Amino acid sequence: MSRAEELAENLAEVEERIAKACESAGRERSEVMLLAVTKTWPASDVEILYELGLRNFAENRDQEASAKAGQLRHLEEARWHMVGRLQRNKAKSVVEWADQVDSVDSVRLAEALARAAHAKGTKLDVLLQVSIDGDTSRGGCPVADVAELAGVITRSGDLILRGAMTVAPLTMKPSQAFEALASVVSGLRDDHPTATRVSAGMSADLEDAISHGSTCVRVGTALLGSRRLTSP
Ligand SMILES: *Cc1c(COP(=O)(O)O)cnc(C)c1O
């Protein structure tokens, strides 16, 4: 089987899972975006997925993503997301390739991204990454600090707060974390009307996330296969 046939088959399976989950949750398929997490996979795979109709791609390392997105400028409708932990000194580089940064989890990072977006003369879409269980070692801002960080993002004028993202913690049931994230976003929306996106769910738990209000599932393995390199 060619790589294109393999990816087409994987995509059909993922689409079917999403469609079923939407149906059982009584939601429209159009409410949930499929974000293909292409970290560690070659640009040629992104081209195949683009041909198959996907437009949203995510990466978690600035250097790899910058090279890949650079090779793929001809995919004019591709939209790139940064979903990984980000050091402030990479802000300038990230705004060169990312259309949205989904992993904003500190005031200092938000300020650095705002400065970089300002210098570039663009407004950058961001999600606030939330650590639902308060263990911030894998990234994310504790729930208690969300309001302050959201304020900094909105007041910057250079970042547009689009919502929040979480990675389900190992310490609690994913459904509990997804429910908590949805409630964080509904709280944010009162003060920040642009904050409507809820990014939750990966290959293993996308059904659970969709049933708890996710508007974006981030799928790597189920689309592309097991990653040979580990990407923290
Ligand atoms: C790698 C990654 C994913 C995709 O995980 P899979 O289990 O391969 O689907 C989703 N979100 C983030 C933040 C990631 O780093």
Side-chain angles (χ1 to χ4, degrees):
M1 196 170 17
S2 71
R3 183 65 170 155
E5 287 166 338
E6 187 185 342
L7 295 189
E9 208 164 88
N10 291 348
L11 175 59
E13 277 168 27
V14 168
E15 275 297 343
E16 190 174 327
R17 288 176 60 193
I18 295 174
K20 277 196 180 139
C22 286
E23 196 182 311
S24 13
R27 302 181 59 197
E28 295 292 332
R29 170 64 188 86
S30 59
E31 290 174 41
V32 180
M33 178 180 100
L34 171 57
L35 178 57
V37 184
T38 51
K39 65 189 184 200
T40 78
W41 298 102
S44 55
D45 282 351
V46 179
E47 276 180 315
I48 294 171
L49 292 173
Y50 188 92
E51 280 286 304
L52 291 167
L54 296 191
R55 292 293 179 266
N56 293 283
F57 304 97
E59 290 283 330
N60 73 339
R61 290 176 179 218
D62 171 62
Q63 210 177 358
E64 179 187 344
S66 150
K68 215 179 284 183
Q71 274 177 275
L72 293 169
R73 291 223 179 81
H74 56 287
L75 307 184
E76 285 178 11
E77 293 172 19
R79 234 181 143 264
W80 292 93
H81 294 239
M82 172 60 171
V83 297
R85 295 205 86 172
L86 183 55
Q87 281 164 345
R88 277 177 295 147
N89 61 8
K90 298 282 172 62
K92 222 177 128 190
S93 171
V94 163
V95 299
E96 291 301 322
W97 62 267
D99 299 289
Q100 181 169 310
V101 175
D102 296 5
S103 47
V104 178
D105 63 357
S106 74
V107 167
R108 284 170 12 137
L109 176 58
E111 287 170 348
L113 287 169
R115 273 195 301 277
H118 190 83
K120 196 186 169 211
T122 49
K123 305 232 181 276
L124 180 69
D125 287 332
V126 303
L127 300 185
L128 202 156
Q129 185 181 347
V130 184
S131 166
I132 295 297
D133 67 350
D135 171 8
T136 54
S137 61
R138 294 192 308 152
C141 145
V143 175
D145 300 345
V146 162
E148 185 202 352
L149 179 52
V152 169
I153 290 170
T154 298
R155 282 193 303 273
S156 74
D158 298 301
L159 306 178
I160 303 174
L161 183 62
R162 294 293 180 188
M165 186 264 263
T166 201
V167 178
L170 305 168
T171 53
M172 58 166 75
K173 284 204 316 203
S175 54
Q176 227 180 320
F178 298 150
E179 223 173 278
L181 182 71
S183 103
V184 166
V185 173
S186 85
L188 275 180
R189 218 170 287 156
D190 296 337
D191 290 330
H192 310 274
T194 55
T196 56
R197 298 178 189 159
V198 182
S199 175
M202 317 199 291
S203 292
D205 52 19
L206 65 90
E207 286 88 354
D208 214 349
I210 289 171
S211 77
H212 290 94
S214 172
T215 69
C216 172
V217 290
R218 308 180 305 268
V219 181
T221 311
L223 275 179
L224 292 139
S226 303
R227 289 178 289 274
R228 263 154 292 178
L229 306 168
T230 50
S231 248

